[in-house]
Amino acid sequence: MAKDPNNVVEKVRQSPPVDTTEPYDPAWVAGKTIIITGGASGFGAGFAKKWALNGANVFVADVNKTKGQALVEEMRKESGSAHHHFVYCDVANWQSQVDLFKTAIKLSPHGGIDAVVANAGITDTGSVVDQPKGLDVEEPPIPVFKTIDVNIIGVLYTTHLAMFWLPRNDKTTNPSPSKLGPGPYTRDRHLLLIGSVASLCAIPNQTQYGTSKHARSLRCSSFMHGVRVNMLCPYFIDTPIIRAEGRLLLAGGAMGKPEDVVDAGTRLMADSRIAGRALAVGPKVTINDEYQLVAKGTAGSKTLAVWEAYADDFEEVDAFTRRFVGVLNSVERARGWIGWGVDIGKAILYRVGLFK
Ligand SMILES: NC(=O)c1ccc[n+]([C@@H]2O[C@H](COP(=O)([O-])OP(=O)(O)OC[C@H]3O[C@@H](n4cnc5c(N)ncnc54)[C@H](O)[C@@H]3O)[C@@H](O)[C@H]2O)c1
């Protein structure tokens, strides 16, 4: 049968949609050395505690020294392992992240890093669409882009360093997610990104935050160097990142629970068969087949807080992209080998400065 040109799943080596009703064992994280940026609070702290209890070696990296050190002390006591560490790290600072990865390599019991969670994040304090105070000023003051620094530059630094160190993890049981057989693997190469509901839809007045959480395209790089890349997209969840003003705005809505985010992240971290996927997390609801809320226990209903997001985006790329790329591919086919040869010639002339 001819291959469906709209399906690029094989090309990006994405695993099938995650069945969140399938059981998984959190103990599959045992033996992994995992770095969690922003690990001192909220989701990061939840991951750190759960994974430490299940036998992972966890590096909590954060700007909050007091919270981070107290957390690691608690993790050591509860897990009975001394292989958990707090490392001060400001993700927006390149050298700070370089030092974090080097420290993890030095202190990791097996000398390697198996997984990284790019979790540190903040929300916008001022917005690019805010009016400067008083409309009579001659020019607006320079905007503060701290959210971009932490949520984009910081995440890209983390990704860049993860892509350097994870492939050096030569004890990986199975370095190619495309060839994963059944069953979990303890040692791994995994980058877990923390997106948001803002990766799925726009949030008014959170321009920097929304921009920063749209780095979802990294999911289709999950085949690079045998590193699995997955993402979580939590809805508003009750952690310290939601400030009082946000809580007032959200009043009457339904916030999700950090334990559901920790559960979804643990599945992605533990089950090394999952690559290139995203899970959205919201409040726990009971729904029927038509996505309508129904009473718990209704025949045919399911109760869930974790959803497979983008289930089909690589299986059926959207119509515009498919058509546009299709037209460009047709142009390439029409130009054929002659077109290729002309371009190669031009590129060589361009290189030696004879073609502008
Ligand atoms: N809680 C939510 O509703 C929600 C929803 C969607 C996505 N998220 C995302 O989840 C991630 C974790 O957020 P959370 O809800 O656990 O918030 P949180 O505020 O509890 O935790 C964030 C942690 O990041 C740390 N941090 C901030 N700037 C840092 C920097 N420059 N370097 C290192 N660490 C830094 C903070 O000290 C804190 O410990 C963030 O990326 C956030 O955008 C949160």
Side-chain angles (χ1 to χ4, degrees):
M1 206 171 76
K3 279 200 169 170
D4 176 1
N6 291 351
N7 189 322
V8 295
V9 166
E10 234 178 82
K11 283 202 178 71
V12 298
R13 297 186 216 176
Q14 188 190 37
S15 62
V18 180
D19 179 355
T20 55
T21 62
E22 271 282 306
Y24 71 92
D25 187 349
W28 291 342
V29 301
K32 292 184 206 276
T33 290
I34 307 173
I35 292 177
I36 307 172
T37 68
S41 171
F43 306 157
F47 295 144
K49 279 201 256 187
K50 181 147 184 168
W51 300 345
L53 271 181
N54 281 284
N57 316 302
V58 182
F59 284 81
V60 170
D62 207 291
V63 283
N64 192 327
K65 212 167 164 182
T66 315
K67 259 185 155 177
Q69 278 172 340
L71 174 69
V72 166
E73 236 168 76
E74 186 190 331
M75 285 157 55
R76 286 182 168 186
K77 222 179 269 163
E78 283 182 1
S79 67
S81 161
H83 293 307
H84 313 301
H85 302 273
F86 170 76
V87 183
Y88 174 87
C89 173
D90 175 358
V91 293
N93 180 307
W94 168 248
Q95 194 55 46
S96 190
Q97 289 218 49
V98 169
D99 295 345
L100 161 67
F101 278 75
K102 280 191 179 158
T103 305
I105 286 288
K106 205 163 86 196
L107 298 179
S108 167
H110 51 61
I113 301 166
D114 301 288
V116 175
V117 188
N119 169 74
I122 56 174
T123 47
D124 299 8
T125 40
S127 164
V128 284
V129 294
D130 279 349
Q131 280 290 347
K133 298 267 176 282
L135 286 175
D136 51 348
V137 288
E138 266 178 37
E139 58 184 65
I142 183 167
V144 177
F145 285 154
K146 180 126 197 270
T147 308
I148 299 289
D149 291 341
V150 175
N151 295 14
I152 298 193
I153 306 293
V155 168
L156 293 178
Y157 283 164
T158 307
T159 301
H160 193 59
L161 285 161
M163 287 297 176
F164 179 83
W165 286 109
L166 293 178
R168 280 165 177 73
N169 169 7
D170 61 351
K171 297 281 188 331
T172 302
T173 319
N174 192 330
S176 169
S178 65
K179 294 200 186 86
L180 289 178
Y185 302 89
T186 308
R187 298 292 305 275
D188 197 6
R189 293 175 184 174
H190 184 212
L191 171 64
L192 179 60
L193 304 168
I194 309 298
S196 161
V197 68
S199 314
L200 308 169
C201 57
I203 302 182
N205 219 28
Q206 284 284 313
T207 325
Q208 292 184 57
Y209 191 78
T211 306
S212 75
K213 294 296 180 184
H214 265 72
R216 67 189 199 212
S217 60
L218 264 173
R219 279 188 312 122
C220 72
S221 303
S222 59
F223 56 92
M224 303 286 280
H225 317 299
V227 179
R228 302 188 288 128
V229 183
N230 290 298
M231 183 169 80
L232 286 177
C233 299
Y235 180 65
F236 297 100
I237 312 278
D238 194 357
T239 73
I241 208 171
I242 312 272
R243 294 187 298 264
E245 313 87 80
R247 286 170 193 267
L248 286 173
L249 275 172
L250 291 168
M255 261 206 236
K257 297 220 162 70
E259 52 267 34
D260 289 322
V261 177
V262 172
D263 172 41
T266 303
R267 177 187 291 279
L268 297 177
M269 185 55 71
D271 192 341
S272 58
R273 290 166 296 189
I274 306 174
R277 308 286 349 169
L279 293 177
V281 188
K284 203 162 257 168
V285 289
T286 302
I287 51 160
N288 63 16
D289 281 353
E290 276 151 21
Y291 290 75
Q292 284 159 336
L293 287 180
V294 291
K296 211 168 176 183
T298 306
S301 69
K302 55 183 175 187
T303 301
L304 77 174
V306 181
W307 308 62
E308 162 73 45
Y310 308 125
D312 313 307
D313 62 343
F314 294 138
E315 280 157 43
E316 185 66 37
V317 291
D318 79 65
F320 172 74
T321 310
R322 174 64 207 132
R323 279 185 204 124
F324 190 56
V325 174
V327 167
L328 299 178
N329 287 345
S330 305
V331 171
E332 191 176 325
R333 269 194 300 276
R335 293 183 70 221
W337 285 107
I338 296 175
W340 180 83
V342 169
D343 289 350
I344 292 288
K346 275 188 191 166
I348 292 168
L349 293 177
Y350 188 84
R351 183 78 183 86
V352 295
L354 292 177
F355 188 85
K356 296 255 183 294

